[in-house]
Amino acid sequence: MTSTPTPNQLRAQQLMAKHKMCIVHDWMTVMGGAEEVLKVMHELLPVPIHVAQYNAEKLKWAENADVRRHWISNLPLSKTKHYLYSPVLADVYRGFDLSEYDVVVSVSHTFAHHAKARPDAVHFGYYHTVARALWVPEIDGRVGEGFLRRKIADRLRRLDLEAAKNFTYVTANSNTAGARVEKFYKRPLDNVLYPCVNTEKWRDTPRDGDDEGYVMWSRLIPYKKFDLAIEAAKKLGFKLHVVGSGPYEPELKAMAQGHNNIIFDGRLPDAELKKLLSRAKGVLFPAYEDFGIVPVEAMAAGLPVVVFNQGGASETVLPEFGEHIAAQTPDELVAAIQRLEKKTYDPIALKAHAEKYSEERFRGELLDFIEAAIERGPNRRFIE
């Protein structure tokens, strides 16, 4: 039985009937936050996806999609160590042939914005962030030291500034990301389009108590700041669940050695994570992220969140839904947890607030902004 199309699906069908469209995306080699957004975007607009690197085994949802990958995707380590090809990816995207499309949607956090639409086409840009390794090395230090690395980075920064002039219409996934686009790329931002979060998956999480303490879940890498949570748990003695896996795991386990209140759960299926969240006091998220999906998922499950007061999480977690830390230090996190434990949070209000970042909201706003870009036409807008 065929379901009735939603209003947004009908709008998307009408848009695709009028225009030849495609999506350009950065590497599709792991299923992360950007790929979750791409999945929802492609479900709404099932048009060709142009990408440099693609690992079909990691993105099962795309097996029936028209993914047009570059030949570089077949080279050694391209699917597993995609970032090793960063010095040439700007040139790869610049070489994409997009001449058949009159509307191009480029979704970029590194190099996708280098793709060029034909002169009479509308080019819609959606930034998850600027290329942080090039512009914000204090957050992403992958460029590293050395003469050759610096020379490569200098060239990529010059190309990045040129690439930002490609777009007809520019959006970003948060005010934080938008401010970086305006600062580094000298581009006026047209709108903020917050990413979609699958709030439906979490909204039926019950509240069965708080005896499991605090939960922190993500990939175990340094900038996520799991070390702050571990130090806070060691000082206050609360139960801390570390959920996830990654290269930082051995170091974190060594840091937590001898403290039985700190539990490493590994990667958990959604059902197990929901069960854990149903008995938690709150979620910790002291990382600096351009948006940050985890805090919204936590609120959708009815839990308050402790976040860093910079970045996207500071925009989504309002004071009535958690606590902010002014600095990424254990003492700041300890103080925030102590404040949180003196307050009462309404799970119903938390869940309702999270719905502001739902997938259906994203679909509607995405179509609004693409239609606005088409109405504007192919004129380029940029600051010289």
Side-chain angles (χ1 to χ4, degrees), residues 248-267:
Y248 201 33
E249 186 170 350
E251 192 169 337
L252 293 173
K253 284 184 173 178
M255 190 183 303
Q257 191 170 6
H259 295 270
N260 296 331
N261 58 313
I262 302 172
I263 302 160
F264 287 81
D265 296 287
R267 297 186 66 178

Side-chain angles (χ1 to χ4, degrees), residues 282-304:
V283 170
L284 307 180
F285 192 83
Y288 185 110
E289 290 277 18
D290 295 284
F291 176 67
I293 288 176
V294 165
V296 178
E297 291 177 327
M299 291 187 291
L303 287 170

